[in-house]
């Protein structure tokens, strides 16, 4: 899978490659500039023909150096280029200064003059090479005026001005996904200029996928500039991610899904054979009368995800209501006075608590009773426990009580509101310079278990710092997931996938669940409601098998697809 690099990691990688004589800085800049031009012409083929004009906006660092290369390459394609430089050319870094000199032998470098820039006719293409990955301060006012005006005057179709950003739209913090002044890009002034196409190098950065990044970048392309030999190898998809990096789960910015067996190779039933108990028994707790829908959604998701059997527990008063709506899912009543042992034996390998249970002391007691269960067989893992919704909010006034009870097979799956109740100092409003990824990593370390913070940019973190990002953005956008009950389905998917003894570890199954959750939404499309997610899962799994090359209905033998018969 792809690993995302922070700004500091990217700079260190470039320095390591240069110091090791793998490549020179000048060569990296040349490759970057050429890559941007190639990406522009591939994305907008109509720009490859006819008389074209470009305005290249260069900044005072190496991002501006990339801009000089881009200007030169566009000029070589016959374009008329108007190049504007913000800053003193004599203070450019060495490689940027060299490319400045090369351009000066070809064309003019106009000093930055906001009024003059805004007074000129709009070109076919604007290149934003002002500020790149290193900017952490607000964009200077004279630059912000130009960028804001350009953004409002641009168009992404034939005849309009197209905007390409080099590394990122100027002002976007690629570590946090926020603007340099910490605000979302909703004001005209001092906000980044959103691009129609963003071209970055070697690897995407977290800010391309979280916060305001996707809205500002719009379309993301990653260009190879030859740093692979100096980079660390990515962790294998069947292993937890490197704690020093962030793993991008599932698909790339184009929406292309993974190949080579992931995520099927982590799903218990894809290995074939076995008794239903070999694939786990999940217990889902439901609420009282009229409050059982969320629990039923989670239970059905757990069963569809591959759990061998699923039992829904509800108060005796809600038994008839649930019995009218369940068939494959087993149903048991549990009164307030009963202990868990009355309904759950040692063969239960997974629990899902929270959806529809209600915020109460009783919910808190149920959670603590489940967390106290441990496997008595050293050859078997502790049961997987997924805590969502009311199971989290019930501990809002005593989060330490929850954290002291969890174990290594527990996942908390809050949305931002629930996250703020358990981790108020890490809430969105108080993160400051910390990214969403930083906040979830700190939360997982504090809680002592896996934390999955939901959203279009879902972040999953483990106590050791391992972190993954699953982003439903760019080619994988799924706005229909913003519907009641979708989070309950995700909780059930995690429980069902993680419950089998032969399944991958809880962190990786949370990654799989987040991926399948979005794939189900994308498969169904507009009009989605929560019930549709579980009904779409069989088709999604079949599509993944077909992509892997499995026979359409061939049985699995020992984890290997049975050979197809020609004829």
């Amino acid at each position: 899978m792809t690993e995302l690099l922070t700004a500091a990691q990217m700079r260190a990688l470039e320095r390591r490659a240069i110091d090791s004589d793998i490549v020179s800085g000048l060569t990296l800049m040349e490759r970057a500039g050429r890559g941007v031009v190639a990406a522009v012409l591939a994305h907008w083929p109509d720009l490859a023909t006819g008389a074209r004009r470009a305005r290249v906006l260069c900044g005072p660092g190496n991002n501006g150096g990339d801009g000089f290369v881009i200007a030169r390459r566009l000029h070589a394609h016959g374009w008329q280029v108007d190049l504007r430089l913000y800053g003193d050319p004599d203070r450019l870094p060495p490689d940027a200064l060299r490319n400045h000199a090369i351009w000066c032998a070809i064309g003019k470098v106009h000093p930055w003059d906001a009024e003059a820039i805004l007074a000129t006719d709009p070109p076919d293409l604007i290149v934003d090479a002002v500020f790149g990955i290193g900017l952490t301060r607000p964009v200077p006012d004279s630059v912000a005026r130009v960028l804001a005006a350009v953004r409002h005057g641009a168009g992404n179709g034939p005849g309009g001005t197209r905007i390409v950003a080099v590394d990122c739209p100027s002002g976007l913090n690629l570590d946090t996904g926020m603007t340099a002044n910490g605000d979302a890009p909703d004001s005209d002034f001092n906000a980044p200029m959103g691009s129609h196409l963003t071209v970055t190098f070697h690897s995407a950065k977290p800010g391309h996928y979280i916060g305001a990044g996707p809205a500002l970048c719009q379309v993301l392309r990653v260009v190879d500039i030859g740093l692979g030999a100096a980079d660390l190898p990515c962790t294998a998809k069947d292993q937890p991610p490197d704690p020093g990096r962030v793993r991008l789960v599932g698909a790339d910015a184009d929406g292309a899904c993974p190949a080579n067996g992931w995520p099927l190779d982590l799903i218990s039933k894809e290995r074939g054979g076995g008794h239903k108990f070999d694939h786990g028994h999940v217990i889902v707790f439901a609420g009282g009368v009229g409050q059982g829908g969320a629990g039923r959604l989670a239970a059905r998701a757990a069963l569809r995800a591959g759990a061998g059997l699923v039992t829904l527990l509800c108060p005796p008063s809600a038994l008839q209501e649930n019995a009218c709506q369940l068939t494959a899912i087993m149903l048991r009543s549990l009164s307030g006075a009963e202990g868990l042992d009355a309904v759950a034996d040692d063969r239960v390998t997974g629990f899902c608590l929270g959806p529809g249970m209600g915020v109460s002391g009783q919910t808190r007691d149920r959670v603590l009773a489940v967390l106290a269960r441990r496997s008595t067989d050293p050859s078997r893992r502790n049961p997987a426990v997924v805590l969502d919704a009311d199971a989290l909010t019930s501990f809002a006034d005593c989060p330490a009580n929850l954290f002291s009870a969890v174990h290594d097979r527990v996942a908390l799956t809050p949305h931002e509101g629930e996250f703020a109740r358990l981790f108020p100092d890490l809430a969105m409003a108080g993160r400051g310079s910390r990214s969403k990824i930083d906040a979830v990593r700190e939360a997982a370390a504090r809680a002592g278990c896996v934390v999955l913070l939901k959203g279009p940019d879902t972040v999953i973190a483990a106590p050791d710092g391992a972190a993954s990002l699953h982003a439903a953005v760019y080619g994988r956008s799924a706005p229909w997931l913003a519907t009641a009950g979708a989070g309950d389905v995700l909780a059930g998917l995690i429980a069902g996938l993680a419950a089998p003894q032969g399944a991958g570890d809880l962190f990786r199954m949370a990654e799989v669940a987040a991926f399948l959750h979005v794939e189900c939404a994308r498969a169904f499309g507009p009009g989605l409601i929560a019930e549709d997610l579980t009904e779409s899962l069989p088709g999604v799994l079949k599509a993944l098998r077909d992509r892997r090359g499995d026979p359409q209905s061939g049985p699995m033998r020992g984890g290997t697809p049975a050979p197809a018969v020609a004829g």
Side-chain angles (χ1 to χ4, degrees):
M1 291 185 189
T2 300
E3 290 183 338
L4 306 177
L5 300 183
T6 65
Q9 288 170 333
M10 185 65 190
R11 285 193 293 267
L13 173 59
E14 290 175 334
R15 177 48 51 196
R16 185 163 61 247
I18 293 168
D19 291 347
S20 301
D21 293 327
I22 294 173
V23 66
S24 69
L26 203 60
T27 299
L28 289 176
M29 194 168 285
E30 183 71 22
R31 291 171 179 172
R34 288 173 178 260
V36 171
V37 173
V40 164
L41 298 180
H43 188 64
W44 294 299
D46 60 296
L47 293 182
T49 59
R52 299 292 180 179
R53 294 185 302 115
R55 179 165 299 126
V56 182
L57 306 178
C58 293
N62 283 328
N63 201 247
D66 296 338
F68 294 126
V69 177
I70 293 166
R72 173 161 42 87
R73 295 309 304 162
L74 290 174
H75 182 271
H77 280 274
W79 287 53
Q80 180 182 333
V81 178
D82 172 27
L83 191 147
R84 306 283 172 156
L85 174 63
Y86 176 79
D88 183 352
D90 292 333
R91 300 181 66 181
L92 286 167
D95 295 327
L97 184 60
R98 173 60 180 153
N99 275 302
H100 171 270
I102 296 172
W103 170 254
C104 286
I106 299 171
K108 292 183 178 180
V109 174
H110 299 284
W112 194 275
D113 181 333
E115 298 300 331
I117 295 172
L118 296 177
T120 56
D121 292 334
D124 298 289
L125 177 71
I126 291 176
V127 178
D128 175 9
V130 187
F131 297 110
I133 65 174
L135 187 71
T136 57
R137 66 184 186 280
V139 174
D141 289 351
S142 62
V143 176
R145 287 185 58 209
V146 171
L147 299 187
V150 166
R151 181 174 72 247
H152 287 296
N156 194 15
T161 296
R162 271 68 74 91
I163 304 172
V164 59
V166 180
D167 250 336
C168 63
S170 290
L172 175 64
N173 186 315
L174 283 184
D175 288 343
T176 67
M178 300 301 290
T179 66
N181 60 1
D183 297 324
D186 55 2
S187 62
D188 289 345
F189 196 64
N190 214 4
M193 173 177 69
S195 63
H196 302 122
L197 171 66
T198 299
V199 182
T200 194
F201 311 111
H202 180 69
S203 169
K205 318 304 182 291
H208 289 128
Y209 285 94
I210 61 177
L216 289 169
C217 296
Q218 292 197 26
V219 176
L220 180 66
R221 295 290 181 264
V222 179
V223 170
D224 181 8
I225 55 173
L227 288 173
D231 199 4
L232 299 172
C234 293
T235 54
K237 61 183 181 297
D238 59 350
Q239 297 295 324
D242 180 347
R245 296 197 176 186
V246 178
R247 181 156 72 192
L248 182 64
V249 176
D252 60 22
D254 296 323
C257 290
N260 302 323
W262 191 91
L264 298 181
D265 50 8
L266 292 175
I267 298 175
S268 177
K269 283 187 176 176
E270 286 296 318
R271 298 171 184 172
H275 184 272
K276 59 179 178 287
F277 281 103
D278 293 329
H279 301 296
H281 180 188
V282 175
I283 282 183
V284 178
F285 287 73
V289 175
Q291 303 297 315
R296 291 192 296 271
L297 284 170
R300 191 165 182 85
L303 193 62
R304 282 286 193 199
L309 57 164
V310 176
T311 298
L312 187 77
L313 296 184
C314 67
S317 59
L319 199 61
Q320 183 174 355
E321 171 190 324
N322 285 298
C324 292
Q325 306 210 39
L326 300 176
T327 303
I329 294 165
M330 298 185 293
L331 181 64
R332 296 286 301 272
S333 65
L334 182 66
S335 67
E338 286 182 289
L340 192 58
D341 290 341
V343 292
D345 61 24
D346 290 341
R347 294 178 297 178
V348 175
T349 56
F351 293 91
C352 178
L353 297 90
M357 288 182 71
V359 178
S360 66
Q362 179 172 296
T363 295
R364 191 162 55 237
D365 292 342
R366 294 291 189 210
V367 170
L368 293 175
V370 167
L371 292 176
R373 291 175 67 93
R374 297 291 193 276
S375 173
T376 57
D377 182 347
S379 67
R380 296 173 66 84
R381 300 183 293 188
N382 288 326
V385 181
V386 181
L387 303 179
D388 187 46
D390 296 340
L392 303 175
T393 302
S394 292
F395 287 89
D397 59 351
C398 54
N401 292 358
L402 173 62
F403 303 157
S404 65
V406 303
H407 53 76
D408 63 339
R409 294 268 290 157
V410 176
L412 314 183
T413 60
H415 55 55
E416 286 282 2
E418 294 154 353
F419 185 84
R421 295 177 195 124
L422 292 180
F423 309 98
D425 58 315
L426 301 177
M428 184 185 297
R431 281 174 199 157
S433 62
R434 288 178 294 197
S435 71
K436 183 176 182 177
I437 296 167
D438 296 331
V440 181
R441 275 177 161 152
E442 188 169 337
R446 186 181 305 175
C449 64
V450 172
V451 176
L452 180 151
L453 180 52
K454 292 178 285 198
D457 49 357
T458 292
V459 177
I460 309 165
D464 67 353
S468 290
L469 171 65
H470 181 274
V473 296
Y474 301 122
R476 298 193 69 243
S477 177
W480 319 286
L481 269 177
T483 185
D488 306 320
V489 172
L490 178 59
L493 287 175
I494 298 171
L497 289 165
Q501 287 294 316
D505 65 78
L506 182 59
F507 185 98
R508 286 181 292 157
M509 301 323 290
E511 289 181 324
V512 173
F515 171 77
L516 293 177
H517 193 237
V518 169
E519 286 301 295
C520 288
R522 295 180 67 231
F524 190 91
L528 173 86
I529 59 176
E531 289 95 322
D532 301 322
L533 291 167
T534 51
E535 302 316 296
S536 298
L537 184 57
V540 167
L541 293 174
K542 181 182 181 300
L544 288 168
R545 296 186 95 205
D546 291 346
R547 185 176 294 114
R548 188 174 64 176
D550 291 359
Q552 289 190 358
S553 58
M556 301 290 288
R557 298 177 181 170
T560 302
V565 178

